[in-house]
Amino acid sequence: MLFTDVPSGPVSGGENNLGAYLSIFGRNLGAASGLGATTKVTIGGVAVANYRYLGPSKVSARLGLQEIIVQVGALSGKPLGTAQPVVVTVGGTASNSDITFTPNPGHILFVAQGGNDSTAVVDDIAHPFRHLQVGLSGASAYASLHPGDQVVVRGGTWTDVTGLDDTWVRFSGSDTSKKGTAPTGVARTGWIHITSYPGPIDGNKPEDVHYVTPAAHRGGIQGPSTAYHGVSGEYIAISNLHLEASATTMTDGAPVNIQYAAGPWRIVGNDLGPWPSTLASPGNAKAGAISGEGTGVVILGNDIHDIACAQGQSVNPLENHGIYIDDDGSYDIGWNVIERVTGGNGLQIFTNGGFSTVTNNVAFHHNIVDGIGKHGINLADGTGANIRVYDNLVMNTQYSGLRFNTTDLSGAKVWSNTFYNNSITGVKGGYGAVSNDWRLSAGSVSFVDNIFYAASGKTFLGGNVGFDGLEGAWLNDLWFNGSDGVPTFAVGAISADPKFVAAGTDFHLATGSPALGVGATTAATLVKDDLYGTARKSAVDIGAIAK
């Protein structure tokens, strides 16, 4: 098991009075035909009530993750408000038990296109609401929502913009009942969770909830404005949805826009895109499939794809990104596929949210970033302390695989990544596979056990300022195909073809690869496995993918 979509939920109410639906993500979870038989789930040692789905997750094609969806049931004998270990057993072999679910009071609110807001009944799947939200207080699921509740959306293509400020739903206003909390076992505490209906018992086919923001609207799921920071929109979980936006969606109409939530939010297992924005500069889209800020933000297992940014005036502004973090907080971003983002960066950190001058505490790990119109990872203005970039495959970027543009960086770790075919265009600012456009202070970043495989005819290093080795250690990295050669300050550098199984498609290290077993053990303090979950050996392989 790697993660779940929500840490708490009701154990009563809803379908057959059996409480919340829970999604579990991981690898080697068994075959769909064995769900409930050879593959079983317990919470606190108690069997879940029923099984709904076992199959590929949204990122299964590239990262191999599976998803199990269950209905938790009463969990008899387990006290409310006390976290219980979740365990998946496959063929008698139990998984790790370090991921928990907290049984908690709450209700299940169903929303369906055939529903009726006037006759809807909480906890009754046969009497759903019609709308997620109608303004701030109109009859809808939102009006009946409290902390600890789960909102379950039925399948179909949705285009509603009846929510606050022209959205599908927006957490805002002074109504503190829309502010989730940590689960305590007391009514009206716990996470607020929006998810899709998982299909019938043993049906093994979740319903497709597909929201499309219509032209000239904001749409999507949005957090609060600056005026309501810390008032509403906290402890929000969003999972198993497909959210996209039309070409002329409004500027801040990101599919998921955390906005100015104090946090935490969990955005897990969603399909986010396309957003083929054609808005021209200066009013072009300036966001991402996921954007905003908060403490305790978790972005896991999402397929983020096909994000564009229109040609504006004389140049393409490239300001619509895969993920856009814009203020201080804490962020765990892992097991996502970020692909075909032609309109900006794969990951963008740029501090302009208004509550701080630096952004700290970002872990970006186990992601595939592929087909990016600008930089794969952009650590820009205000990027500060506790930045960890590891176990990522960053490939096919027009500009740098990794770019720095900050004077606030301190102690960043860029460890065990594979950068491939970066700086394809590479002309603006002399960008290389890794670039720096601002002065980095001593000790600001270390590069350990990475593979840098430059695009043909392009450089390893670049940027307006570049690197001199004083910014931190360059240790046991492998360098190949760069026109500028290995930097003289790189320690333990290997200059050789890494010998991938199939460069461009399969980045496992082939037999005889010079990257096998020669990495610095320094990385072991952070990097425990590889991109695909293979445990790292004591003889460390260089790059994101071990043999």
Side-chain angles (χ1 to χ4, degrees), residues 83-136:
Q84 304 292 331
V86 179
V87 174
V88 178
T89 302
V90 182
T93 301
S95 71
N96 51 306
S97 59
D98 55 340
I99 296 171
T100 64
F101 177 83
T102 301
N104 207 60
H107 297 283
I108 314 296
L109 290 71
F110 295 94
V111 183
Q113 292 179 350
N116 187 312
D117 295 322
S118 299
T119 60
V121 179
V122 171
D123 287 317
D124 187 350
I125 193 172
H127 293 85
F129 292 90
R130 167 58 185 85
H131 294 95
L132 266 182
Q133 187 181 47
V134 176
L136 189 57

Side-chain angles (χ1 to χ4, degrees), residues 41-68:
V41 178
T42 60
I43 300 175
V46 178
V48 297
N50 55 60
Y51 297 90
R52 315 307 286 253
Y53 175 71
L54 168 55
S57 74
K58 298 293 193 298
V59 296
S60 64
R62 302 200 67 176
L63 283 174
L65 268 60
Q66 294 175 278
E67 179 179 6
I68 297 174

Side-chain angles (χ1 to χ4, degrees), residues 265-336:
W265 279 45
R266 293 180 66 89
I267 304 165
V268 177
N270 301 285
D271 181 341
L272 302 176
W275 183 6
S277 178
T278 58
L279 297 177
S281 179
N284 58 286
K286 300 180 179 71
I290 300 171
S291 62
E293 62 181 71
T295 297
V297 172
V298 171
I299 302 172
L300 304 175
N302 302 282
D303 185 11
I304 298 170
H305 60 94
D306 300 291
I307 310 297
C309 190
Q311 184 77 18
Q313 296 177 355
S314 60
V315 296
N316 188 339
L318 295 173
E319 293 176 330
N320 212 20
H321 312 289
I323 299 174
Y324 187 176
I325 304 302
D326 66 1
D327 215 334
D328 199 15
S330 56
Y331 307 87
D332 182 14
I333 305 171
W335 297 284
N336 302 285

Side-chain angles (χ1 to χ4, degrees), residues 394-399 419-424 453-456:
V394 183
M395 57 189 295
N396 302 324
T397 61
Q398 293 301 314
Y399 294 170
F419 296 94
Y420 174 79
N421 199 34
N422 303 130
S423 188
I424 296 171
Y453 192 131
S456 180

Side-chain angles (χ1 to χ4, degrees), residues 425-439:
T425 303
V427 290
K428 182 180 178 183
Y431 287 130
V434 183
S435 297
N436 177 42
D437 283 335
W438 216 343
R439 179 61 58 186

Side-chain angles (χ1 to χ4, degrees), residues 458-474:
K458 300 303 191 289
T459 62
F460 291 127
L461 305 182
N464 291 324
V465 175
F467 302 92
D468 55 16
L470 299 179
E471 60 279 334
W474 297 76

Side-chain angles (χ1 to χ4, degrees), residues 250-267:
M250 292 174 63
T251 297
D252 61 351
V256 178
N257 196 340
I258 304 168
Q259 292 276 28
Y260 302 99
W265 279 45
R266 293 180 66 89
I267 304 165

